[in-house]
Amino acid sequence: MVLADFSVNSGAVFSEAIGNDRLDLLTDYPFTRLANLLAPITPRANVAPILLTVGEPQHTPPAIIEETLRASAAGWNRYPPVGGTPEFRAAAGDWLTRRYDLPAGLLHADSSVLPLSGTREALFMLALLAVPTRKAGRQPAVLMPNPFYAPYEGAAVMAGAEPVFLSATRETGFLPDLDALTPELLERTALFYLCTPANPQGAAAAPAYLAKAIGLARQYGFVLAVDECYAEIWLDAPPAGALQVAAGLPQADGKPWANLLVFHSLSKRSSAAGLRSGFVAGDPALIGRFSRLRSYGCAGMPLPIMAASTALWRDEAHVEENRAAYRAKFAAAEAELGGRYGYSRPAGGFFLWLEVGNGEEAAKRLWAEGAIRVLPGAYLSRSNPGEPNPGDAFIRVALVQDTDTVAQACASIVRILG
Ligand SMILES: Cc1ncc(COP(=O)(O)O)c(C=O)c1O
C-alpha cells in the first residue's frame, strides 16, 4: 500500500496513488477516453449533435414500468431481500423456460435465479466469486473476447487475475477461437466471459460453440459466464442461449447447469437502462455462493422495481415492438452504408461495427464535421504483445436513436469518411 503525501498548502494533493494499486492497471473507462479525445474539438456550428456512443436505447420505455411502480409504492420503505421475491424469480424462470424452450421443471427458479440491479455490477462482482488465490499453482486467468465489454477486464484485474484477451475478429467469426485455447491456459482459467450476441460485433454463438465452451468449463473447472444481455435484440432468428444448449447435453450427474451462469438485462430488452434491472441464472451452487457474496456487498433490487421487472419479464408485446424498431433502423443503416466498411448484417445487438481505417481519427472527423459521436473500436479492445489491437481500425455506432436520425447519421458517415 502506498501512503498518501497529503499537502495542506496546495489543497488535497496526492503525490502517489493511494489504496488499491490494481486500479492503476486499468485505463480510463471507454467513455471517459472518448470525452478526452473529443474535448478539444468543436463541431461545426448549427449542427445538432447525434449521440451514437452509449448503448442506451432512446425508445420510450413501456408504460408497464410507471403503472407497476405506482401500484407498488408501498415497497419503497423496505430493504429488499438479496434473493428477490418469489414472483420475480418465477417470472425470470418462466421467461427463460419459454424463450429457450427448456424442458418444463428443469430450471428451479428459487435456487437458480438471482435478481440484479443491472448486470454490469454483477458481471464485475462475479470475478470476486470465481477467482481463487491460485489455480493450478499459478495466477488465475480470466478469459474474455477481444473486443469486450469493459467491466470484464476491470473485474479480472481487481480480483487479482490475469485478463486474457482472445481475438474475436472477422477471421474467427467475431467470437474467440475455442480451439486455440491451450491446456496450459485452460488449467489456470478461473472464469471465462462470453458475450452473445456480442457487443460490439453482433455475432451470435452457435449451439455447438456454446456446447464446446460449457464442456471446457466442466473439464477444466472454471466458471463460464455468458452475457446474453442482447439476446432479445435480434434480426432474423432468436440466438441460441447457453442454458438451452446445456439442457440438451448429457447430464450424467443431474446437474444441467454445472459451471454455467447466464446474465440477462431489461436495459436493452425493455429500453429501460435507468431501471437497473437484470438477473443471473444457472448453476445453483454458484447462485447460492453469489447470493452470500451479494449479501455482503450489494444493494438488493428495490421492491417496486422488482415488481415492475416481474411484469416486464412476463410481457412480450413491448419486446416485439422494440425488435421491429431495431429492424427498421438496421434497414435504414444498410440502405445508406451499402456494404461499405466491411459491414455485414449482425445476428443481434444494436451496433454497427465499421472498419474505417483508423477508428480514433474517424471518430474525431465525424464529431468535427458532422457532430456525430461514435466510439473508436480501440477503446473496447486491447493489443496482445506483438499483435495489433483488433479494434484499431473500427468504430462502434450504437443504433439507439430513431430511424430517421440513424439514416441521417449513416448518410453523414458515408459523406464524411467516403
Ligand atoms: C455486453 C453488455 N453486457 C452488460 C451490459 C450491462 O447492462 P446493464 O447493467 O444495464 O444490465 C451492457 C450494457 O451496455 C453490455 O453492453
Side-chain angles (χ1 to χ4, degrees), residues 356-379:
V356 293
N358 179 327
E360 269 193 339
E361 285 309 313
K364 287 201 284 192
R365 281 189 64 195
L366 290 173
W367 184 237
E369 296 173 38
I372 296 168
R373 228 169 156 94
V374 301
L375 194 65
Y379 295 1

Side-chain angles (χ1 to χ4, degrees), residues 118-120 123 149 152 195 199 227 229-230 265 267-268 276:
T119 54
R120 182 216 290 238
L123 285 161
Y149 179 50
Y152 308 159
C195 185
N199 171 3
D227 181 350
C229 89
Y230 293 94
S265 171
S267 298
K268 326 291 176 183
R276 308 311 302 130

Side-chain angles (χ1 to χ4, degrees), residues 26 43 99 122 134 173 203 234 298 335 340:
L26 299 176
R99 166 69 174 81
R134 311 279 288 166
W234 44 264
C298 292
R340 290 177 180 83

Side-chain angles (χ1 to χ4, degrees), residues 228-261:
E228 299 181 342
C229 89
Y230 293 94
E232 290 293 76
I233 316 293
W234 44 264
L235 290 173
D236 298 321
L243 292 183
Q244 178 180 25
V245 170
L249 297 175
Q251 300 157 31
D253 53 2
K255 294 180 182 163
W257 322 125
N259 298 62
L260 176 63
L261 292 174

Side-chain angles (χ1 to χ4, degrees), residues 6-13:
F6 183 75
S7 159
V8 187
N9 291 336
S10 53
V13 174

Side-chain angles (χ1 to χ4, degrees), residues 76-355:
W76 287 119
N77 66 356
R78 293 186 44 209
Y79 278 118
V82 166
T85 57
E87 292 77 17
F88 176 90
R89 292 192 298 272
D94 290 351
W95 176 78
L96 285 168
T97 299
R98 274 197 319 276
R99 166 69 174 81
Y100 294 113
D101 204 13
L102 304 179
L106 191 64
L107 184 100
H108 300 287
D110 283 343
S111 54
S112 282
V113 172
L114 260 191
L116 305 173
S117 292
T119 54
R120 182 216 290 238
E121 53 99 13
L123 285 161
F124 178 86
M125 197 174 213
L126 175 62
L128 298 183
L129 181 80
V131 175
T133 315
R134 311 279 288 166
K135 181 133 189 276
R138 284 169 289 165
Q139 183 190 23
V142 172
L143 313 187
M144 65 196 73
N146 194 22
F148 54 90
Y149 179 50
Y152 308 159
E153 181 192 20
V157 168
M158 296 311 288
E162 181 196 349
V164 176
F165 307 108
L166 309 172
S167 272
T169 59
R170 191 171 283 116
E171 292 67 41
T172 64
F174 289 125
L175 293 168
D177 178 2
L178 300 181
D179 294 326
L181 302 173
T182 62
E184 184 279 334
L185 174 62
L186 289 163
E187 275 158 15
R188 66 186 183 97
T189 296
L191 171 61
F192 187 172
Y193 289 104
L194 271 178
C195 185
T196 174
N199 171 3
Q201 315 95 318
Y209 183 97
L210 290 168
K212 187 174 280 186
I214 295 167
L216 290 173
R218 291 177 182 169
Q219 183 183 348
Y220 289 95
F222 61 80
V223 176
L224 178 67
V226 187
D227 181 350
E228 299 181 342
C229 89
Y230 293 94
E232 290 293 76
I233 316 293
W234 44 264
L235 290 173
D236 298 321
L243 292 183
Q244 178 180 25
V245 170
L249 297 175
Q251 300 157 31
D253 53 2
K255 294 180 182 163
W257 322 125
N259 298 62
L260 176 63
L261 292 174
V262 298
F263 290 77
H264 283 275
S265 171
L266 291 174
S267 298
K268 326 291 176 183
R269 177 184 184 267
S270 302
S271 304
L275 197 64
R276 308 311 302 130
S277 181
F279 67 81
V280 55
D283 187 335
L286 290 172
I287 291 286
R289 289 176 65 76
F290 216 169
S291 179
R292 192 197 308 173
L293 180 65
R294 292 179 61 74
S295 303
Y296 280 92
C298 292
M301 183 192 291
L303 289 170
I305 292 181
M306 190 122 43
S309 307
T310 303
L312 288 171
W313 287 114
R314 293 215 175 275
D315 185 72
E316 291 298 335
H318 76 279
V319 187
E320 278 155 27
E321 250 175 58
N322 222 5
R323 240 188 326 267
Y326 285 113
R327 285 202 189 107
K329 289 193 263 192
F330 270 101
E334 280 164 13
E336 298 296 339
L337 297 175
R340 290 177 180 83
Y341 319 121
Y343 171 82
S344 61
R345 178 177 252 241
F350 51 55
F351 299 109
L352 306 175
W353 183 238
L354 304 179
E355 193 165 3

